[in-house]
């Protein structure tokens, strides 16, 4: 995968997506563009186990599955998509100001000869590289590319993963506890 903040070479053209329409409906709202997907519970558990063995996150495992599926459906080995990266490195500030996210582009060239375990490592490396430069604002990156006469990649797909089940550490189950919102002492 090419590095998101330091583009090298040609940016692949956006492939025709299996879910792409010929034209957007006049009444389309951006929020209606979300698509939920998942896998069977048994497959999900096996994927979680494989992710633990390979020391990759839930997020990376699902991204690897999605990209492999898009490669197959779109019949192209090159897939580009965006994801949001949090660039706030002080967790305590998220509660005060909220998360600060930058869209980050990920470029993949699927290599059919790799095993899925090897593919997980490729996807993991791409995510780690993107995180290292996730603080570069997307609009500044686009301006930088345009100033150098390079193509500005179009974002047509944004990936996000949500783990609904409570995470587990060893044999301990972690539950979410919802606390009522409190007003900040300074009036926010």
């Amino acid at each position: 995968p090419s590095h998101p903040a330091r583009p090298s070479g040609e940016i692949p053209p956006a492939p025709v997506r299996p879910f792409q329409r010929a034209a957007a409906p006049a009444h389309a709202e951006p929020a209606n563009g979300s698509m939920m997907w998942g896998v069977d519970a048994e497959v999900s558990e096996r994927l979680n186990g494989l992710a633990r063995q390979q020391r990759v996150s839930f997020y990376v495992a699902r991204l690897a599955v999605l990209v492999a599926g898009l490669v197959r459906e779109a019949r192209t080995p090159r897939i580009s998509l965006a994801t949001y990266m949090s660039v706030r490195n002080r967790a305590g500030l998220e509660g005060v100001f909220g998360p600060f996210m930058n869209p980050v582009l990920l470029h993949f060239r699927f290599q059919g000869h790799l095993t899925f375990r090897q593919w997980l490592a490729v996807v993991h490396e791409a995510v780690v590289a993107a995180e290292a430069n996730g603080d570069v604002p997307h609009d500044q990156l686009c301006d930088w590319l345009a100033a150098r006469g390079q193509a500005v990649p179009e974002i047509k797909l944004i990936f996000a993963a949500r783990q609904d089940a409570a995470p587990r550490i060893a044999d301990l189950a972690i539950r979410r506890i919802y606390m009522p919102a409190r007003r900040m002492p300074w009036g926010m």
Side-chain angles (χ1 to χ4, degrees), residues 84-97:
Y84 287 103
M85 298 265 171
S86 175
V87 296
R88 182 152 297 156
N89 58 9
R90 293 180 64 191
L93 294 178
E94 280 194 19
V96 177
F97 299 110

Side-chain angles (χ1 to χ4, degrees), residues 113-129:
H113 66 279
L114 296 179
T115 66
F116 189 72
R117 289 176 192 269
Q118 292 168 325
W119 178 242
L120 278 172
V122 168
V123 173
H124 176 74
E125 287 175 21
V127 170
V128 168

Side-chain angles (χ1 to χ4, degrees), residues 1-11 78 145 150:
S2 64
H3 203 279
R6 288 183 232 139
S8 60
E10 174 186 330
I11 294 172
R78 297 174 77 168
L145 288 170
Q150 295 187 12

Side-chain angles (χ1 to χ4, degrees), residues 24-186:
H27 63 281
E29 295 288 329
N32 294 338
S34 296
M35 180 173 67
M36 300 294 286
W37 64 279
V39 294
D40 294 339
E42 180 182 331
V43 173
S44 183
E45 278 303 312
R46 291 177 61 201
L47 186 58
N48 291 343
L50 180 60
R52 282 189 298 274
Q53 287 174 357
Q54 299 303 118
R55 298 178 191 253
V56 300
S57 66
F58 175 92
Y59 176 90
V60 166
R62 273 38 183 201
L63 179 59
V65 169
L66 177 69
V67 172
L70 286 172
V71 163
R72 181 174 179 223
E73 291 297 318
R75 297 186 176 137
T76 179
R78 297 174 77 168
I79 297 291
S80 294
L81 55 86
T83 189
Y84 287 103
M85 298 265 171
S86 175
V87 296
R88 182 152 297 156
N89 58 9
R90 293 180 64 191
L93 294 178
E94 280 194 19
V96 177
F97 299 110
F100 186 76
M101 309 290 254
N102 272 340
V104 175
L105 295 171
L106 299 170
H107 304 288
F108 296 98
R109 183 172 188 84
F110 188 77
Q111 301 160 15
H113 66 279
L114 296 179
T115 66
F116 189 72
R117 289 176 192 269
Q118 292 168 325
W119 178 242
L120 278 172
V122 168
V123 173
H124 176 74
E125 287 175 21
V127 170
V128 168
E131 286 175 338
N133 291 288
D135 60 341
V136 177
H138 180 71
D139 57 339
Q140 287 181 13
L141 176 60
C142 291
D143 291 346
W144 185 86
L145 288 170
R148 285 154 181 77
Q150 295 187 12
V152 175
E154 185 179 2
I155 296 176
K156 291 193 172 191
L157 176 66
I158 298 175
F159 174 76
R162 188 177 81 204
Q163 188 172 6
D164 289 332
R168 297 185 66 83
I169 299 174
D171 290 328
L172 302 174
I174 299 172
R175 293 183 307 171
R176 290 187 178 100
I177 299 175
Y178 294 95
M179 304 286 290
R182 292 181 286 152
R183 291 188 67 92
M184 293 296 175
W186 52 87

